[in-house]
Amino acid sequence: MTSTFGWLAIDPEQRRRMMEAVDQFRDETTLDDLGFGAIRDAFSNTLFPGVSSIQTRLRYVLFIPWLLQEASHRDTVGRMQSQFREAELRLITALQSGKETVGVIGRDAGRTLQRLPSEIYWGAIGRWGLVESGFSARRYFERELLRREELKATPRADDPDVPIRLTPTGLDPRLPPPPEHLLRETTFALRPEDARYLREAITRTAAGSLLAHLATHRPESWTDETTQPAGVGDTAIRQGLPSELDALVDRATRFALHAQGANLLYNLLLAEATNKHDHQGTSLIEVYTQRLGEWFTEVQHVEPLHAQDRELIWQTVIHSGRRLSATTKDFVGTWADAVADAGTAGDLTGNDQLRRLIVVREREKKGPRARLTPGNQLALDAWGGASGTGRFDYLWANARRHLQDLYDAEDAS
């Protein structure tokens, strides 16, 4: 059974946010049957503000303002908007002419592309101060027309060095100039001036984040793509972190580990209810029993999620602008305490109270769509054998690609 949903697109910003929510369902680590999403996203946006799961390469945050500037030479807002869309489509060919093959948005769709780069990266360029907060392409074009009228109406000063006061465009005046022949042939490689500008923008607007720290503190062992740290909790990243940031990373990694255990138990319950097997013919009951055993061995070697840790996690969620229900706090707390008190993996997998906790939690979050609700056989049959079993990486895969682009520019210079 295929699920679908729809929404009314009121404006481009709402559509962008909705599409980012849709894209969450494409990643195994973002499926949220047990309602961990608010905490996961709070950590993601606190560690890597401006980064999203659908971004590919860092230079897109510069391409967009450059294409806005290029389109602003038209004589009406409507023509500017049309030219801007055309420029975004031409950028696909320009990147292909520059021999780029990985990370090109629209590489396969070409001119039929519906999800344009500006829609994907607008949150980042706003968060990092490349455009005014809450700004839009249309508003930029309207201001460009207004500035033309102001220039016509402003009398020339006797001193040519006296600046004319005009309405700001909304773009950061410190933006580096675009390269020549941008829409003919280009690459994702950042020029030295591009890298300097983006490093300064990120550290200025996202101070205290892991993204800002890594933008200016490259781990010694991270020499190229083959030596990238595997996750935010990697020793190479945590060495040299300021104490407050290190504590945040530590809580994030411990929470991810604990949440994965709850999701693995959820999948074990589904395996027991369906008696399904994997592609090799192995019972999924055996698969998840083994995975939970391995997970339990790992979680025994980390500090438990104490009550004071959880209070700090709730604060992270609140500071990120998200809401956290009392039932979510209770669920996380009950699970964390059970993990801390368990002597063996069997103490968790065989605990009837914890099993009921998982069942009730799924029903609370999914209502009639809950797979473990008695009689909901269609939903149970639709389970593909794994749901949300990956460990949260907090957008690390996307963030490290952006950081690699910065580091490559540093190496090239």
Side-chain angles (χ1 to χ4, degrees):
M1 180 176 65
T2 302
S3 298
T4 61
F5 62 91
W7 71 93
L8 293 176
I10 305 302
D11 60 38
E13 176 62 14
Q14 288 186 8
R15 182 176 187 274
R16 180 187 67 79
R17 292 180 180 178
M18 189 65 229
M19 290 305 296
E20 286 192 5
V22 171
D23 281 305
Q24 294 280 339
F25 293 97
R26 300 179 183 176
D27 184 349
E28 178 61 25
T29 67
T30 60
L31 297 177
D32 191 28
D33 296 293
L34 300 183
F36 292 123
I39 303 174
R40 176 203 62 215
D41 294 346
F43 273 128
S44 297
N45 295 334
T46 303
L47 293 168
F48 302 113
V51 178
S52 79
S53 63
I54 52 177
Q55 294 171 0
T56 57
R57 301 296 296 272
L58 183 58
R59 207 180 191 199
Y60 272 112
V61 299
L62 293 175
F63 286 150
I64 294 164
W66 289 337
L67 297 183
L68 284 170
Q69 292 173 329
E70 194 279 334
S72 69
H73 300 301
R74 303 305 182 271
D75 58 352
T76 68
V77 170
R79 288 174 179 168
M80 291 177 185
Q81 289 180 309
S82 296
Q83 178 59 29
F84 181 47
R85 176 181 174 81
E86 173 64 21
E88 290 198 77
L89 295 175
R90 288 177 59 193
L91 182 62
I92 301 171
T93 304
L95 286 165
Q96 291 172 327
S97 297
K99 308 304 180 185
E100 295 288 1
T101 58
V102 178
V104 178
I105 298 172
R107 181 190 62 183
D108 298 324
R111 298 191 68 81
T112 64
L113 178 66
Q114 297 298 312
R115 193 78 180 277
L116 296 170
S118 57
E119 192 175 335
I120 295 171
Y121 282 87
W122 199 262
I125 64 176
R127 180 63 180 80
W128 297 341
L130 278 70
V131 299
E132 290 181 4
S133 178
F135 208 55
S136 67
R138 181 179 182 86
R139 190 176 303 174
Y140 167 72
F141 295 140
E142 290 172 343
R143 287 193 183 182
E144 282 289 351
L145 287 180
L146 177 60
R147 286 165 63 89
R148 292 181 197 176
E149 295 303 317
E150 290 173 343
L151 279 172
K152 292 178 182 178
T154 301
R156 294 185 178 275
D158 294 334
D159 186 352
D161 293 330
V162 175
I164 300 175
R165 296 185 179 277
L166 300 174
T167 299
T169 66
L171 297 186
D172 184 0
R174 293 166 292 189
L175 278 165
E180 293 185 6
H181 313 304
L182 172 62
L183 291 177
R184 185 184 307 170
E185 180 180 315
T186 193
T187 71
F188 289 127
L190 297 169
R191 300 171 300 180
E193 60 267 36
D194 299 338
R196 284 194 299 270
Y197 170 77
L198 290 175
R199 190 177 291 108
E200 188 278 331
I202 291 170
T203 54
R204 173 171 45 86
T205 61
S209 70
L210 186 57
L211 180 66
H213 176 84
L214 292 175
T216 54
H217 297 80
R218 181 178 183 172
E220 290 185 5
S221 61
W222 188 343
T223 57
D224 54 32
E225 289 188 14
T226 65
T227 56
Q228 292 176 346
V232 296
D234 194 289
T235 304
I237 288 180
R238 296 189 61 178
Q239 286 178 343
L241 284 182
S243 58
E244 186 174 345
L245 182 55
D246 184 61
L248 174 67
V249 171
D250 180 61
R251 284 193 297 275
T253 54
R254 284 188 288 139
F255 174 76
L257 179 60
H258 281 72
Q260 185 186 30
N263 280 321
L264 288 173
L265 179 55
Y266 170 63
N267 279 269
L268 175 60
L269 298 183
L270 292 173
E272 293 173 347
T274 61
N275 199 31
K276 287 186 176 182
H277 295 68
D278 64 16
H279 297 303
Q280 286 74 40
T282 305
S283 167
L284 288 177
I285 297 175
E286 296 179 19
V287 170
Y288 285 112
T289 299
Q290 179 178 344
R291 288 191 64 179
L292 274 161
E294 295 167 350
W295 167 84
F296 187 76
T297 299
E298 183 179 358
V299 80
Q300 282 185 305
H301 290 86
V302 303
E303 189 73 14
L305 273 182
H306 298 296
Q308 58 266 36
D309 293 314
R310 301 196 294 264
E311 285 300 322
L312 292 171
I313 291 174
W314 312 154
Q315 291 178 27
T316 297
V317 176
I318 293 170
H319 291 161
S320 73
R322 291 168 174 77
R323 295 181 179 179
L324 199 62
S325 67
T327 54
T328 295
K329 294 180 182 179
D330 290 343
F331 175 69
V332 172
T334 301
W335 174 255
D337 289 340
V339 172
D341 294 338
T344 67
D347 292 340
L348 295 176
T349 59
N351 187 317
D352 290 337
Q353 183 178 358
L354 285 181
R355 285 168 168 260
R356 285 194 297 273
L357 177 73
I358 297 293
V359 172
V360 171
R361 179 62 175 174
E362 189 212 20
R363 191 177 303 160
E364 175 194 346
K365 299 309 297 181
K366 300 177 68 176
R369 297 180 295 108
R371 298 183 179 103
L372 294 173
T373 298
N376 200 0
Q377 193 62 42
L378 283 176
L380 198 59
D381 290 342
W383 176 58
S387 182
T389 58
R391 193 172 303 179
F392 302 147
D393 75 348
Y394 303 120
L395 301 175
W396 173 242
N398 303 84
R400 72 182 177 190
R401 178 64 265 177
H402 292 345
L403 290 165
Q404 186 67 61
D405 285 340
L406 277 178
Y407 298 161
D408 287 347
E410 177 183 309
D411 293 339
S413 63

